[in-house]
Amino acid sequence: MVRHTNLTDVNNAAIKQAAQQLAEGGLVAFPTETVYGLGANALSPSAVAGIYAAKQRPANHPVIVHVAEGANINFWAENITPHAQALIKAFWPGPLTLIMQRASHIPSAVSGGQSTIGLRCPSHPVAQQLLQEFAKLSPGGNAGVAAPSANKFGQVSPTQASHVRSEFPDLTSNDLMVLDGGASEVGIESTIVDVSDPNAAPVILRPGHILPEQIEAVLGVKLGVAGGAKPRVSGSLKAHYAPATPVYLVKGSQINQLLQKLHNKGRVALLAYNHVLPDHNTNIDFYACPVTPQAYAHSLYSTLRQLDQSNYTAIVIEQPPESTGWQAVNDRLSRAAAAHQAL
Ligand code: TXA
Ligand code: MG
């Protein structure tokens, strides 16, 4: 289960004001249980264009539409498959995004021109309250907030309000209202499952907190394997979620060799999983990583951000275990490290 921090710093008035800002076509950053989102009215192509401009993101990358618990999904999607219905019942609200066929009256701006739509119902209470308030201001109560992660394209996703503000120093609080809901519990982006094809097994497009085996247990079928013709997922680009400081991902047995290579190049941060101090440790700051995938994911992005601002010449990360429970963490680590060959 996803737990939530106590939300004392976001009051009802701020959430109502944020809903108003969305209704007027503006941008609102809001907490979810995964990461913070950069939101705009999903039914307004010009509001959605504001997200792309702020993120400096290519316009052919689709964004996820967030809806309140109990929202009418038939307004957003058509030909909703039994698999989609079963996953909604089992995991919403929660960190699961479903790719379905987009209803024809929904602007294609939210899906980068594709015929599908990514829908998610977040469980964070501030996100839920924002979505409910926005629905009150929307015709027929049909409201959706298009929201990618609230970071510049390719950068590490924000898990705290302060991260969002530092991502967009160019935007004033009038241009971008940031709701502070504390640190995101999950810490990495939602699991994305493509359930748009009634004739194919569902496919995981992005691993996350909700595991393949949990999804298979609900559906009673094996998941399919992602193929080349699947929809574009920007988080599936090889180098993504990457800090500016070079990140190297290595097995424990290779750490000493890499550290020797980096010797004399400046200070190095070592994120160690096994907590064994390396041989050559004069220029190395040692950080012990959490030992469960949930705790590791929770702190991963804030740790990478902190280290990125600490003037290291390199961030060396010891590969955690490769069992399925670690799949989402390993996915994000390999993308953060994709630009730099370790050895
Ligand atoms: O946890 C999350 O999913 C967070 C929070 C804010 O909800 N959002 C997030 O958004 O990670 P973003 O834009 O950074 O990543 C969303 C991913 C992208 O990789 C995008 O390509 C994919 O979802 N996506 C959205 N709609 C899609 C569609 N119709 N077909 C295929 N992929 C889609
Ligand atoms: Mg993102």
Side-chain angles (χ1 to χ4, degrees), residues 330-342:
N330 282 318
D331 171 75
R332 303 315 190 274
L333 290 177
S334 63
R335 291 179 205 291
H340 301 278
Q341 265 298 327

Side-chain angles (χ1 to χ4, degrees), residues 182-205:
S184 294
E185 188 63 33
V186 173
I188 56 172
E189 304 79 0
S190 59
T191 307
I192 302 181
V193 184
D194 184 353
V195 281
S196 63
D197 185 349
N199 301 313
V203 171
I204 292 191
L205 301 182

Side-chain angles (χ1 to χ4, degrees), residues 36-229:
Y36 275 66
L38 180 66
N41 181 358
L43 293 174
S44 163
S46 64
V48 173
I51 300 175
Y52 285 91
K55 277 190 67 109
Q56 296 160 0
R57 183 189 217 210
N60 65 350
H61 285 270
V63 290
I64 294 171
V65 175
H66 297 70
V67 294
E69 190 172 3
N72 177 15
I73 303 306
N74 292 302
F75 176 78
W76 299 96
E78 58 192 25
N79 302 324
I80 300 171
T81 61
H83 284 150
Q85 280 159 352
L87 293 178
I88 288 172
K89 190 156 178 268
F91 297 113
W92 279 11
L96 179 72
T97 297
L98 296 173
I99 308 298
M100 302 187 231
Q101 291 178 27
R102 175 167 52 87
S104 55
H105 65 107
I106 302 299
S108 65
V110 292
S111 54
Q114 301 179 68
S115 60
T116 51
I117 185 167
L119 284 177
R120 163 158 135 75
C121 177
S123 63
H124 195 294
V126 172
Q128 272 300 324
Q129 210 182 323
L130 176 67
L131 291 163
Q132 307 280 3
E133 291 294 338
F134 183 41
K136 288 185 199 160
L137 303 174
S138 303
N142 287 311
V145 175
S149 51
N151 51 275
K152 292 264 165 68
F153 184 64
Q155 303 296 308
V156 175
S157 300
T159 55
Q160 295 173 25
S162 61
H163 299 165
V164 180
R165 292 196 191 95
S166 66
E167 281 287 322
F168 302 101
D170 39 330
L171 296 184
T172 66
S173 52
N174 279 341
D175 298 326
L176 173 66
M177 184 171 175
V178 181
L179 293 175
D180 188 344
S184 294
E185 188 63 33
V186 173
I188 56 172
E189 304 79 0
S190 59
T191 307
I192 302 181
V193 184
D194 184 353
V195 281
S196 63
D197 185 349
N199 301 313
V203 171
I204 292 191
L205 301 182
R206 181 175 69 185
H209 180 80
I210 294 180
L211 302 175
E213 48 265 44
Q214 291 176 280
I215 293 169
E216 287 177 341
V218 167
L219 298 181
V221 296
K222 279 268 164 218
L223 289 164
V225 178

Side-chain angles (χ1 to χ4, degrees), residues 201-291:
V203 171
I204 292 191
L205 301 182
R206 181 175 69 185
H209 180 80
I210 294 180
L211 302 175
E213 48 265 44
Q214 291 176 280
I215 293 169
E216 287 177 341
V218 167
L219 298 181
V221 296
K222 279 268 164 218
L223 289 164
V225 178
K230 285 291 160 197
R232 288 178 294 268
V233 181
S234 64
S236 71
L237 295 175
K238 204 166 171 237
H240 212 78
Y241 314 120
T245 311
V247 175
Y248 299 93
L249 181 62
V250 282
K251 299 206 182 309
S253 59
Q254 300 172 309
I255 289 178
N256 280 320
Q257 201 188 338
L258 176 63
L259 292 177
Q260 280 190 20
K261 200 178 120 181
L262 296 171
H263 195 59
N264 292 332
K265 297 218 167 105
R267 290 199 76 72
V268 169
L270 172 64
L271 265 67
Y273 177 78
N274 278 314
H275 305 182
V276 179
L277 266 174
D279 297 344
H280 305 272
N281 58 7
T282 43
N283 253 342
I284 296 156
D285 288 342
F286 183 85
Y287 298 88
C289 289
V291 294

